[in-house]
Amino acid sequence: MSAFGKPENALKRAEELITVGQKQEALQALHDLITSRRYRAWQKTLERIMFKYVELCVDMRRGRFAKDGLIQYRFVCQQVNINSLEEVIKHFMHLATERAELARSQAQALEEALDVEDLEADKRPEDLMLSYVSGEKGKDRSDRELVTPWFKFLWETYRTVLEVLRNNSKLEGLYAMTAHRAFQFCKQYKRTTEFRRLCEIIRNHLANLNKYRDQRDRPDLSAPESLQLYLDTRFEQLRVATELELWQEAFRSIEDIHGLMCLVKKTPKASLMVIYYAKLTEIFWISSSHLYHAYAWLKLFSLQKSFNKNLSQKDLQLIASSVVLAALSVPPYDQSHGASHLELENEKERNLKVASLIGFDVELRSDGKEVLSRSGLLSELVTKGVMSCVTQEVKDLYHLLEHEFIPLDLAPKVQPLLTKISKLGGKLSSASSVPEIQISQYVPALEKLATLRLLQQVSQVYQMMKIENLLKMISFFDFAVVEKISVDAVKHNFIAMKVDHMKGAVIFGQQSLESDGLRDHLALFAESLSKARVMIYPPATKSQKLGEALSGLAETVEKEHKRLLARKLLIEKRKEEQERQLLEMEREEESKRSKLQKITEEAEQRRLATEYEQRKNQRILREIEEREFEEAQALLQEAEKRSKKKGKKPVLEGEKITKQTLMEMALSEQLRERQEMEKKLQRLAKTMDYLERAKREEAAPLVEAAFQQRLVEEAAIYEREEQKEIELSRQRHAGDLEEKRRLGRMLENKKIFQERAVSRRDDEFNRLRKERQVRINQIIQTRKQERDIQRKMIYYLRSEEERLRRLREEEEAGKREEAERRRQEEAERKAKLDEMAEKQRQRDQDLEEKEKKWREEVLGKSSAVAPRPADPSAVSHPSEPVPTVTAATASTSGKYVPRFKRQQAEGAGQAPPETDNWVGGNRVDDRTSQPNDRWRDDRRPSYGGGASRSTWSANRNRER
């Protein structure tokens, strides 16, 4: 890097290098000078250097160099002369725009030249290979090589300037102007990708402005001027986004404007809010959000009616008609029907967000739905007086679609109204902020609404209708479109209908699936069978079963069960206590470890913060010393220049002179110069006093003589003018007398004409009064007749309602009697079933008593019964008693003998049951239970008849 003693030398060196064609070296020399720390005090020479620097950057298309230089120059003149930076930036943008326009004028086909997706993207390898391999040197390629690079550089220029000027209160105006020019660039050349990036850049700048609130020279958004600049930029962004049809970016611009209003808690002017809601209507219509579109139109109508006093009645009528038609275009059914919980939550959040954008305060209803709805919107139109401002066609259409019930004549009456409405609209007057209204865009939605209303009304009248008849009634669409509309309506539970293409008919009403009915039928049948089974075989409790099986077993089982439960609870408590202790130990170790780690991290953070503060203080002190040294050098050079000009002895050199010393020397020099200047002024004032006094003494007699001469001349002029005025008055008087004599002859004719005119007007007045009286009498008579007809109609309607009410009461009475009769029959049938169940229960108890007595007899005689035969193939008859197997015979034959059998053989006929074989009604030991079951099965009694056999099976199951 070459060092220059003065900035002028660097400028001269750069001009010399440019002269010999070395622009790169000249740009590098100026770049080194601008980024040097030696020249941080602003001076006029630096501004000339910056002009030359940006010219070189534009010529060589070096956007990165331009950005670095502008940032450094901003640091230099931020606090001294900010206007210099504005001039440099304006010159830079002017040069870039001029060169881009020059390249555009040289190109013959701009559309082909700018057919590039992204101005920031480099050339693709295939494009480079094509440019080398192909021998074509056509106009398309030359245009691309000539125009596209300059427009890339112009886009980079806008980005650079916005980055340099961001979040600076002194450069807000220039920042807004640059943003507007960048928007116009994107709009003029249809640069959608660059427009999205530009919006994101501006959005990030505002986010950083809110994030770093303690930044120096930060713009204050609460100031009206700053807020207006930011709002104008966002509204321009919104206009360009809608003109480029970037609807997603337009909606984000709407969110930016709303966020800015919420941030400063101020509402913009009504003219800006009209644009805001007008663009919202376009965005919501494109996104098919007809409900939000209608609410935005309502807000726009309220603003126009309240704040635009110059709005004509025709324009207000068109706007009101648009509001009503937009509300009617909203689908009449709830589109969230059948949605999942997550979808409903998302829709609720979306409604709240859009409502805040539109400016409505949304409150939740008791059923959880929002206030933004079609019914609420239509009621607001009536309460706010919108319906009184619309055209007659729109009023008729509203009443037909919302209040009338004419299924057969609905389409023929709606069709001519839609034809008239489609011809409305057009451009509004200049007093309206909305330039144009397109009423015809609502016609397809209104035709769909009319179709839905017709299907809804027809479904209330007919159960089935031929498709041909339905198509004759609906003249808007063919049947494929009608079927699609009806599918959406059925999906959202608006109407209930089904199309049978085989029969060529449409069936109205609730049509459920056959599987649903079969499922319900089977479920009801299963429930009825279950109830009947419980009534026939009532379940017995566990304690009854144990009590019937063995006496005293229930108490023993209960105690054993409680003991096991207590042991289980004790084991679980011990496990929980052990786990809790382990968890406590782990938690304590973890807390100790986290505390130690936290202490270490805090110590490290304190050490880093201390080191950072020390480095920061050292850097600040070093910068202050360097700045003071540079200022002292600058002051010293200025003092040397002044001393050389005045021929005085310059300031002594050789020793280190501080800034304070130089300032004291400069102050003393200024004080001395001021005193000398005051002495010179005093001498000059005294000389001027002497000269002025001498001039006035010489001029006094001359002034007096001139005054006397002027008095004589003015007296003569006054006498001459007075004589002339007297003569003119005499002539005018004589002329007036002559005119009076000439007009006196017409006085009689004037009186005759006056009487004639007065009499004619009296006759006309009397005639009109008589006609008015006749009209009034006719109107009174007509209104009397209308009131009589209305009273008769009201009487007829009331009598008809009374007749229908009596019919309904008679039908309800008949239904109640039928229900009472069925209830009595059901009670009688239930009583018979109860009686049958009681008889069956009594028979079961008798059989159980007989079986119990038989078991007691068998157990009592078991000790005296002979042993069983050794032949296993011999089978006893069920009715005969089977001999009991003794312990001796079982041990000799190798069979397993239960414990109570062995005790019987040893204890002289005692056979107590073993209580350990039963726990909770279940057998514990399978080896013990198998012989016992076999013994019990071999000795069961035999009963005759099917009912006795089933009763015996049920008792056996209960024993198990």
Side-chain angles (χ1 to χ4, degrees):
M1 181 181 71
S2 59
F4 298 99
K6 296 181 179 180
E8 294 86 352
N9 299 337
L11 183 59
K12 290 178 182 179
R13 178 61 178 166
E15 291 176 351
E16 292 172 359
L17 291 172
I18 293 171
T19 305
V20 297
Q22 297 181 359
K23 291 185 178 181
Q24 178 63 37
E25 287 75 7
L27 179 62
Q28 187 64 43
L30 294 180
H31 182 267
D32 294 340
L33 176 73
I34 293 169
T35 56
S36 176
R37 300 176 67 89
R38 294 179 59 186
Y39 307 102
R40 290 300 179 88
W42 183 86
Q43 46 187 316
K44 191 67 176 178
T45 307
L46 287 178
E47 184 175 348
R48 296 200 302 272
I49 291 173
M50 284 301 301
F51 279 120
K52 180 61 68 176
Y53 180 77
V54 296
E55 288 175 4
L56 287 173
C57 291
V58 172
D59 289 338
M60 302 177 67
R61 294 200 295 267
R62 298 299 178 88
R64 187 61 57 87
F65 274 80
K67 183 176 181 180
D68 294 341
L70 289 174
I71 290 175
Q72 293 296 328
Y73 192 63
R74 183 187 64 182
F75 293 152
V76 172
C77 60
Q78 174 76 31
Q79 305 296 332
V80 182
N81 189 4
I82 200 67
N83 295 326
S84 176
L85 178 62
E86 291 187 11
E87 294 298 327
V88 171
I89 289 177
K90 289 179 181 178
H91 183 64
F92 178 44
M93 288 194 295
H94 173 71
L95 289 175
T97 307
E98 187 177 14
R99 292 302 294 270
E101 291 295 331
L102 180 61
R104 177 172 174 252
S105 62
Q106 292 176 359
Q108 295 181 0
L110 179 62
E111 294 297 330
E112 291 83 359
L114 286 179
D115 190 13
V116 182
E117 285 295 329
D118 192 353
L119 290 178
E120 295 183 8
D122 296 331
K123 289 185 177 181
R124 297 178 296 176
E126 52 268 26
D127 296 336
L128 292 174
M129 292 177 64
L130 181 63
S131 64
Y132 286 115
V133 173
S134 176
E136 181 188 1
K137 299 295 182 183
K139 181 170 64 64
D140 293 345
R141 190 180 302 167
S142 61
D143 289 342
R144 186 181 298 274
E145 293 175 355
L146 179 64
V147 179
T148 304
W150 280 111
F151 276 91
K152 283 186 177 181
F153 180 74
L154 180 58
W155 165 245
E156 189 177 357
T157 300
Y158 287 133
R159 289 193 60 175
T160 299
V161 173
L162 288 174
E163 188 67 25
V164 172
L165 300 177
R166 65 185 179 92
N167 299 342
N168 196 320
S169 59
K170 299 180 180 179
L171 301 170
E172 287 177 336
L174 188 58
Y175 179 85
M177 183 196 73
T178 306
H180 282 254
R181 291 181 64 175
F183 289 141
Q184 293 304 317
F185 167 79
C186 298
K187 172 186 171 183
Q188 183 177 359
Y189 301 111
K190 303 294 186 293
R191 306 309 307 174
T192 57
T193 305
E194 285 72 23
F195 180 77
R196 291 191 186 94
R197 289 177 180 163
L198 179 62
C199 295
E200 193 63 31
I201 288 170
I202 295 176
R203 199 171 289 118
N204 290 335
H205 289 175
L206 182 60
N208 291 332
L209 175 63
N210 296 327
K211 185 177 180 181
Y212 304 106
R213 296 182 178 274
D214 55 347
Q215 183 182 358
R216 190 175 63 177
D217 297 327
R218 172 184 171 273
D220 186 11
L221 293 179
S222 60
E225 296 82 5
S226 301
L227 179 60
Q228 190 62 36
L229 286 174
Y230 275 83
L231 284 175
D232 290 342
T233 303
R234 266 64 184 180
F235 275 102
E236 182 66 22
Q237 173 182 333
L238 177 60
R239 291 192 193 97
V240 176
T242 53
E243 291 178 5
L244 292 176
E245 295 184 355
L246 298 175
W247 303 111
Q248 186 175 4
E249 200 62 44
F251 186 73
R252 296 186 69 185
S253 303
I254 289 288
E255 290 180 336
D256 293 342
I257 295 172
H258 182 261
L260 199 58
M261 290 190 294
C262 294
L263 184 64
V264 299
K265 294 181 176 60
K266 290 183 181 179
T267 304
K269 295 184 293 186
S271 58
L272 293 179
M273 294 305 296
V274 167
I275 298 173
Y276 175 85
Y277 287 113
K279 298 302 179 184
L280 262 182
T281 57
E282 295 182 24
I283 294 169
F284 287 141
W285 181 257
I286 293 296
S287 63
S288 299
S289 300
H290 295 166
L291 179 62
Y292 305 145
H293 170 79
Y295 269 101
W297 260 119
L298 179 59
K299 292 291 289 186
L300 182 59
F301 171 79
S302 301
L303 279 175
Q304 290 280 41
K305 187 177 180 182
S306 302
F307 296 99
N308 196 348
K309 303 301 181 183
N310 299 325
L311 192 66
S312 63
Q313 187 64 29
K314 182 180 178 182
D315 294 345
L316 185 63
Q317 197 175 40
L318 278 177
I319 296 174
S321 301
S322 299
V323 176
V324 176
L325 293 178
L328 290 176
S329 300
V330 180
Y333 45 74
D334 185 10
Q335 296 186 355
S336 62
H337 178 76
S340 63
H341 177 71
L342 181 59
E343 292 174 349
L344 292 176
E345 290 298 323
N346 293 335
E347 183 67 20
K348 186 183 296 183
E349 293 179 2
R350 182 168 178 263
N351 287 341
L352 290 173
K353 182 178 179 181
V354 174
S356 64
L357 289 179
I358 299 176
F360 278 86
D361 296 329
V362 179
E363 297 177 358
L364 292 179
R365 297 177 178 175
S366 59
D367 55 354
K369 297 182 180 179
E370 283 81 12
V371 177
L372 293 184
S373 62
R374 186 177 187 273
S375 58
L377 177 61
L378 292 176
S379 62
E380 282 213 26
L381 296 182
V382 177
T383 56
K384 291 188 177 181
V386 181
M387 296 302 300
S388 61
C389 301
V390 301
T391 59
Q392 187 62 36
E393 293 85 0
V394 177
K395 280 184 181 179
D396 296 341
L397 182 64
Y398 171 76
H399 286 291
L400 279 174
L401 295 178
E402 297 298 326
H403 298 294
E404 297 291 339
F405 187 85
I406 44 175
L408 300 179
D409 299 333
L410 182 62
K413 289 187 177 181
V414 169
Q415 186 66 39
L417 293 176
L418 291 179
T419 306
K420 292 180 182 179
I421 288 172
S422 63
K423 297 178 182 178
L424 298 176
K427 294 185 178 180
L428 303 183
S429 62
S430 59
S432 175
S433 300
V434 182
E436 188 176 1
I437 291 179
Q438 295 291 340
I439 299 293
S440 58
Q441 66 181 355
Y442 299 110
V443 173
L446 294 173
E447 291 176 349
K448 181 179 178 181
L449 176 64
T451 304
L452 286 172
R453 290 298 186 195
L454 191 145
L455 291 174
Q456 184 187 24
Q457 295 177 8
V458 167
S459 66
Q460 297 177 12
V461 178
Y462 297 95
Q463 291 183 351
M464 181 182 294
M465 177 179 285
K466 290 290 185 181
I467 295 178
E468 294 82 4
N469 298 334
L470 184 63
L471 287 178
K472 290 178 183 178
M473 296 170 61
I474 302 175
S475 59
F476 309 120
F477 309 110
D478 54 1
F479 187 69
V481 181
V482 173
E483 189 174 10
K484 185 178 179 181
I485 294 173
S486 62
V487 166
D488 292 337
V490 171
K491 176 183 176 183
H492 295 99
N493 201 23
F494 182 68
I495 56 176
M497 60 177 289
K498 185 169 66 173
V499 179
D500 192 344
H501 289 280
M502 296 183 64
K503 296 180 180 178
V506 178
I507 303 170
F508 298 101
Q510 297 291 339
Q511 302 293 328
S512 59
L513 297 175
E514 288 78 1
S515 61
D516 296 338
L518 182 60
R519 180 189 60 194
D520 296 340
H521 178 70
L522 291 176
L524 293 174
F525 182 67
E527 290 178 1
S528 301
L529 286 179
S530 177
K531 290 179 181 178
R533 180 181 176 280
V534 169
M535 289 165 54
I536 295 172
Y537 301 108
T541 60
K542 189 181 298 182
S543 59
Q544 290 177 353
K545 293 179 182 179
L546 291 174
E548 292 174 358
L550 295 171
S551 60
L553 182 61
E555 185 178 356
T556 306
V557 169
E558 187 69 23
K559 289 180 181 179
E560 187 68 19
H561 182 63
K562 289 181 179 180
R563 186 180 64 81
L564 292 175
L565 287 178
R567 186 171 179 272
K568 182 179 178 182
L569 290 175
L570 182 61
I571 293 172
E572 289 179 353
K573 286 182 180 179
R574 288 178 181 176
K575 287 182 179 180
E576 290 176 357
E577 184 66 23
Q578 188 176 4
E579 290 175 357
R580 188 182 61 78
Q581 291 177 359
L582 291 175
L583 188 61
E584 284 290 333
M585 292 173 62
E586 291 178 359
R587 192 180 294 113
E588 290 178 0
E589 291 178 359
E590 184 66 26
S591 62
K592 290 179 182 178
R593 189 163 51 251
S594 61
K595 286 181 181 178
L596 182 61
Q597 185 178 0
K598 186 176 180 181
I599 291 170
T600 307
E601 290 177 355
E602 290 178 353
E604 183 67 19
Q605 289 178 359
R606 285 196 297 270
R607 185 183 65 80
L608 293 175
T610 305
E611 292 180 356
Y612 174 74
E613 289 293 333
Q614 291 177 357
R615 288 195 301 270
K616 183 179 178 181
N617 294 332
Q618 291 175 2
R619 179 176 56 81
I620 292 172
L621 291 175
R622 189 166 58 252
E623 290 179 356
I624 291 173
E625 290 177 358
E626 291 177 357
R627 194 180 298 113
E628 288 183 353
F629 179 73
E630 292 174 358
E631 292 176 357
Q633 291 294 332
L635 291 174
L636 181 60
Q637 291 176 5
E638 292 179 2
E640 288 178 356
K641 290 179 182 178
R642 287 197 302 271
S643 61
K644 287 179 182 179
K645 288 180 182 179
K646 295 179 181 180
K648 296 182 180 180
K649 185 179 179 180
V651 182
L652 295 177
E653 297 181 357
E655 58 180 351
K656 186 176 181 181
I657 301 175
T658 61
K659 179 182 176 183
Q660 186 67 24
T661 306
L662 289 174
M663 290 178 65
E664 291 177 357
M665 293 172 60
L667 288 174
S668 61
E669 183 67 23
Q670 291 176 3
L671 182 60
R672 186 179 58 76
E673 291 178 356
R674 192 181 298 113
Q675 291 175 355
E676 291 179 357
M677 185 60 69
E678 288 177 357
K679 291 180 181 179
K680 288 181 181 180
L681 289 174
Q682 288 177 1
R683 289 195 298 270
L684 183 61
K686 188 179 292 185
T687 304
M688 294 296 292
D689 288 343
Y690 290 153
L691 290 174
E692 188 66 26
R693 187 181 299 112
K695 285 193 296 184
R696 292 187 180 183
E697 287 177 356
E698 292 294 331
L702 297 176
V703 172
E704 183 65 27
F707 177 70
Q708 294 298 329
Q709 185 180 358
R710 181 66 180 275
L711 288 178
V712 174
E713 292 176 355
E714 288 182 353
I717 291 171
Y718 174 74
E719 291 293 336
R720 189 166 57 252
E721 292 292 334
E722 188 176 4
Q723 291 297 328
K724 189 185 295 184
E725 183 65 28
I726 290 171
E727 186 64 27
L728 289 174
S729 296
R730 288 175 180 172
Q731 293 177 3
R732 284 197 298 271
H733 182 66
D736 292 341
L737 291 175
E738 183 64 24
E739 184 71 16
K740 182 179 179 182
R741 284 194 299 272
R742 188 177 67 82
L743 295 175
R745 296 176 297 169
M746 305 177 188
L747 184 61
E748 293 297 330
N749 295 329
K750 177 254 182 186
K751 291 180 179 178
I752 293 170
F753 175 77
Q754 182 179 358
E755 291 174 357
R756 190 184 303 160
V758 170
S759 63
R760 186 173 65 253
R761 291 178 182 176
D762 289 340
D763 295 340
E764 181 70 18
F765 173 74
N766 293 329
R767 183 180 62 79
L768 293 175
R769 185 170 57 184
K770 291 179 181 179
E771 292 178 356
R772 178 175 175 274
Q773 188 63 34
V774 170
R775 282 199 308 275
I776 290 172
N777 293 333
Q778 292 177 355
I779 291 170
I780 291 171
Q781 187 66 27
T782 305
R783 290 183 179 176
K784 285 182 179 179
Q785 294 176 0
E786 291 177 354
R787 284 197 298 271
D788 293 340
I789 294 171
Q790 188 177 5
R791 283 196 294 270
K792 291 178 181 179
M793 180 60 69
I794 291 171
Y795 174 75
Y796 171 72
L797 292 175
R798 287 180 179 175
S799 61
E800 188 67 19
E801 289 178 358
E802 182 65 24
R803 184 180 65 81
L804 293 175
R805 186 180 60 78
R806 287 197 300 271
L807 288 176
R808 284 197 299 270
E809 289 178 355
E810 292 175 358
E811 290 178 358
E812 291 177 358
K815 289 180 181 179
R816 285 196 298 271
E817 291 176 357
E818 182 67 20
E820 183 65 26
R821 183 181 61 78
R822 290 180 180 177
R823 189 163 54 251
Q824 290 178 359
E825 291 177 355
E826 183 68 21
E828 292 175 357
R829 187 178 64 83
K830 189 175 180 181
K832 291 181 180 179
L833 290 175
D834 291 341
E835 185 178 357
M836 293 171 62
E838 183 63 29
K839 291 180 180 179
Q840 184 65 30
R841 191 180 301 110
Q842 187 65 34
R843 285 197 298 269
D844 292 344
Q845 289 180 359
D846 295 341
L847 290 175
E848 288 175 2
E849 290 293 334
K850 291 178 181 179
E851 186 178 359
K852 187 175 180 182
K853 291 179 181 179
W854 174 83
R855 189 182 296 113
E856 290 176 356
E857 292 175 359
V858 170
L859 291 177
K861 297 177 181 180
S862 60
S863 58
V865 176
R868 295 178 64 181
D871 189 3
S873 60
V875 179
S876 302
H877 195 272
S879 60
E880 297 175 358
V882 181
T884 306
V885 179
T886 60
T889 57
S891 61
T892 56
S893 62
K895 292 184 179 181
Y896 173 76
V897 179
R899 186 185 303 174
F900 73 94
K901 291 291 183 182
R902 293 196 299 268
Q903 290 177 357
Q904 269 185 356
E906 296 173 359
Q910 294 181 357
E914 182 65 26
T915 58
D916 292 339
N917 295 339
W918 300 87
V919 177
N922 298 325
R923 288 186 298 272
V924 178
D925 195 348
D926 293 339
R927 295 173 301 175
T928 308
S929 62
Q930 290 172 0
N932 193 14
D933 291 341
R934 186 167 59 249
W935 172 86
R936 192 179 303 149
D937 292 341
D938 293 339
R939 290 158 179 77
R940 61 176 178 261
S942 176
Y943 301 99
S948 302
R949 204 175 297 116
S950 62
T951 306
W952 175 82
S953 300
N955 294 330
R956 184 186 174 196
N957 291 333
R958 282 198 297 272
E959 289 178 359
R960 289 182 179 179

